[in-house]
């Protein structure tokens, strides 16, 4: 899911270009704490790779409605939260 997110666009829309793309707010360079390379892992926006990876774990669009389903058949639902 991380690779499916366009962090540059999110930064422009939600943070007026002032954000710093990282995996977790605790790893932000502004916090003074950057523990390791995990802060920058999987930041690249690569929707094709993300789709391939989701297909590989069985999260596919089984009914052709444009939404992916879990192997159980339930629709994948994400609850994304952020603060500005």
């Amino acid at each position: 899911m991380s690779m499916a997110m366009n962090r540059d666009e999110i930064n422009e829309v939600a943070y007026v270009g002032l954000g710093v793309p990282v995996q977790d707010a605790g790893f932000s360079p502004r916090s003074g704490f950057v523990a390791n390379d995990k802060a920058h892992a999987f930041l690249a926006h690569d929707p094709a790779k993300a789709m391939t990876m989701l297909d590989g774990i069985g999260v596919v669009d089984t009914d052709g409605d444009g939404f992916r389903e879990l192997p159980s058949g339930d629709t994948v639902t994400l609850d994304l939260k952020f603060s500005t």
Side-chain angles (χ1 to χ4, degrees), residues 9-24:
E9 183 175 358
I10 293 168
N11 183 31
E12 290 303 318
V13 172
Y15 299 104
V16 198
L18 300 175
V20 177
V22 292
Q23 282 294 358
D24 180 88

Side-chain angles (χ1 to χ4, degrees), residues 28-78:
S28 170
R30 293 186 180 141
S31 73
F33 176 72
V34 179
N36 53 40
D37 60 347
K38 290 181 183 176
H40 298 97
F42 304 106
L43 289 183
H45 181 224
D46 190 344
K49 173 108 176 162
M51 286 190 279
T52 299
M53 293 174 79
L54 288 170
D55 290 344
I57 61 170
V59 179
V60 297
D61 180 9
T62 56
D63 59 11
D65 66 355
F67 296 97
R68 291 180 175 262
E69 286 79 38
L70 298 169
S72 67
D74 293 333
T75 301
V76 174
T77 304
L78 301 176

